[in-house]
Amino acid sequence: MKDKIIILGEYQQDKISSITLECISAAKQLQGEAEIILLLMGEDRKKDACELQQYDVDQIVLVEHPLLSRFSNEPYAKALLSVWDQLNPAILLWGHTDIGKAISPYLSEKLDIPLYSNVESVEYNEKRLFLTRPVYSGKLIEKIEVNTPTFFLTIKPKKWKASQKKLERNCTIRSLKVKIDKSIPTLIGLEQKKQQTLNLEDAKIIVGAGRGIQNEEGFALINQLAKTIGGTVGVSRGAVELGVCDASMQLGQTGKTVAPDLYIACGISGAIQHLVGVTSAKTIIAINKDPHAPIFEVADYAIVGDLFEIIPALMKEWDNPTIEIS
Ligand SMILES: Cc1cc2nc3c(=O)[nH]c(=O)nc-3n(C[C@H](O)[C@H](O)[C@H](O)COP(=O)(O)OP(=O)(O)OC[C@H]3O[C@@H](n4cnc5c(N)ncnc54)[C@H](O)[C@@H]3O)c2cc1C
């Protein structure tokens, strides 16, 4: 029987998320003779499955159950245990996202299977499999050899290109039944927080707010800049600690990893734990009043000065340009 690599499909606002397509690219690298299976959990996923048939997977497996309609730790973990028992795969692969981080350690411990998390690259060398991942707050990159045929893998977002659609639809779709004990905690509802910024991972322009914004007024200025230039707001832990914004917007080691076309870091010093989440940006502009701030070492453009003076000037220039760029 062929080995199987299972990818857990993730959704964002009811659309399959980019990390799932990145997982397909990672799975292709690991594939060898194995079969790639995309697992879609939820309710009424058949339409999505038909659309996803155009991607480079061998099979789509639907696991539909009312308790899986939205992500919740316990039902998802129970369903995955049941899928694992029934399909007996070699590798279970998904993103190092909020979902991946929440359930992969539980499954690894429960099934006694090694978990390699936040992996940035995979490489076969003479049939030996090597993985790399950041350790010690991103200061070092660890290279490890995988010595077991069966393992779990979560991949760092934006490290693989999203798989592209093919013209033909070759893969098959089938359903798998799972039993989920109704006594487990059930998700009753989700309420969106006022300040939550969605889709940071997919944003093309991100304006980053750091401790240098000082207070709510500073945060309002950052939001104004983002609105003016069509961007999304992300923050450093320094800004979260000020209590003016939500931790779900945090970028970095314990926050989100992003790769926008443009990142404007405002009042952010550039600690390594922040940089690991943002240095995949194509262009970085940093605004900081300290000319020696480490953020300037990774910035493409440095603006040394007070953000409370610079940001209004930038917005004014944006609305009424006085400089012509040829
Ligand atoms: C295990 C661990 C995980 C972590 N994970 C993360 C993470 O995911 N994300 C993250 O961001 N941090 C993380 N941190 C924290 C990180 O080490 C830094 O403490 C944090 O990033 C600092 O945030 P900051 O740059 O906003 O604040 P600071 O380091 O205090 O920098 C503020 C900057 O603003 C500038 N400034 C002040 N006023 C102005 C002004 N008026 N105009 C212009 N510039 C001004 C200052 O010159 C300074 O450079 C983590 C730490 C640990 C130990």
Side-chain angles (χ1 to χ4, degrees):
M1 201 168 51
K2 266 189 167 188
D3 274 343
K4 298 183 189 89
I5 301 175
I6 294 187
I7 297 166
L8 174 63
E10 266 195 46
Y11 285 82
Q12 206 168 37
Q13 291 174 324
D14 251 359
K15 272 190 159 174
I16 202 81
S17 74
S18 150
I19 187 70
T20 301
L21 306 181
E22 292 160 33
C23 283
I24 295 176
S25 301
K28 293 301 290 180
Q29 249 189 297
L30 291 163
Q31 186 172 20
E33 299 291 307
E35 185 183 18
I36 299 178
I37 299 175
L38 176 59
L39 186 66
L40 297 183
M41 308 220 286
E43 254 191 316
D44 300 328
R45 296 287 192 215
K46 284 196 184 68
K47 196 165 154 258
D48 300 332
C50 292
E51 278 175 25
L52 289 163
Q53 270 183 307
Q54 273 180 284
Y55 287 93
D56 215 353
V57 296
D58 301 301
Q59 211 184 111
I60 295 179
V61 171
L62 296 176
V63 174
E64 294 181 291
H65 192 289
L67 287 176
L68 301 173
S69 62
R70 275 191 181 274
F71 174 73
S72 180
N73 287 356
E74 286 80 5
Y76 263 63
K78 297 283 181 218
L80 279 168
L81 284 174
S82 170
V83 169
W84 186 270
D85 271 354
Q86 295 181 62
L87 297 184
N88 199 18
I91 303 172
L92 182 53
L93 168 67
W94 65 107
H96 197 65
T97 56
D98 292 343
I99 295 181
K101 286 181 213 171
I103 43 179
S104 54
Y106 170 83
L107 292 178
S108 164
E109 202 276 329
K110 196 88 188 157
L111 294 164
D112 197 16
I113 288 171
L115 162 66
Y116 302 103
S117 58
N118 206 18
V119 168
E120 288 191 341
S121 74
V122 304
E123 183 201 343
Y124 274 110
N125 197 339
E126 294 176 355
K127 297 199 173 164
R128 293 163 67 191
L129 175 61
F130 300 94
L131 312 173
T132 63
R133 59 179 178 178
V135 288
Y136 298 110
S137 309
K139 289 191 187 98
L140 297 175
I141 302 291
E142 177 180 79
K143 183 169 181 175
I144 31 185
E145 181 172 1
V146 176
N147 293 318
T148 52
T150 304
F151 55 93
F152 294 147
L153 196 71
T154 64
I155 63 163
K156 189 169 177 177
K158 308 293 177 196
K159 284 291 167 184
W160 275 267
K161 282 209 168 114
S163 173
Q164 298 296 312
K165 276 186 185 174
K166 303 181 296 178
L167 285 177
E168 69 276 20
R169 292 169 189 259
N170 287 335
C171 88
T172 53
I173 301 176
R174 71 165 167 132
S175 292
L176 204 65
K177 283 206 173 355
V178 291
K179 267 198 183 155
I180 304 177
D181 183 354
K182 287 214 171 89
S183 66
I184 60 171
T186 313
L187 178 74
I188 302 301
L190 291 170
E191 194 179 321
Q192 190 162 320
K193 280 194 173 176
K194 242 189 186 168
Q195 281 178 349
Q196 199 172 20
T197 308
L198 296 171
N199 278 337
L200 265 168
E201 288 96 336
D202 296 326
K204 297 274 179 239
I205 300 176
I206 297 179
V207 182
R211 204 188 308 273
I213 61 165
Q214 294 170 20
N215 49 34
E216 281 190 356
E217 204 185 311
F219 191 54
L221 190 61
I222 299 295
N223 277 293
Q224 223 181 320
L225 173 62
K227 203 171 163 200
T228 307
I229 62 174
T232 304
V233 176
V235 301
S236 70
R237 185 183 285 181
V240 174
E241 284 167 358
L242 287 175
V244 297
C245 51
D246 198 273
S248 63
M249 302 162 84
Q250 185 174 306
L251 307 174
Q253 186 192 328
T254 42
K256 295 190 160 69
T257 302
V258 293
D261 290 341
L262 175 63
Y263 179 56
I264 308 181
C266 308
I268 293 177
S269 58
I272 185 74
Q273 295 88 355
H274 182 76
L275 295 182
V276 288
V278 300
T279 41
S280 297
K282 286 197 188 122
T283 302
I284 299 179
I285 300 176
I287 306 171
N288 199 303
K289 65 179 183 186
D290 174 7
H292 304 295
I295 190 80
F296 289 139
E297 284 165 31
V298 298
D300 300 284
Y301 299 94
I303 306 178
V304 180
D306 187 334
L307 66 89
F308 289 93
E309 289 167 18
I310 290 161
I311 293 176
L314 281 178
M315 288 191 293
K316 199 169 158 206
E317 183 63 27
W318 185 272
D319 287 337
N320 296 299
T322 55
I323 304 169
E324 264 185 41
I325 300 170
S326 55

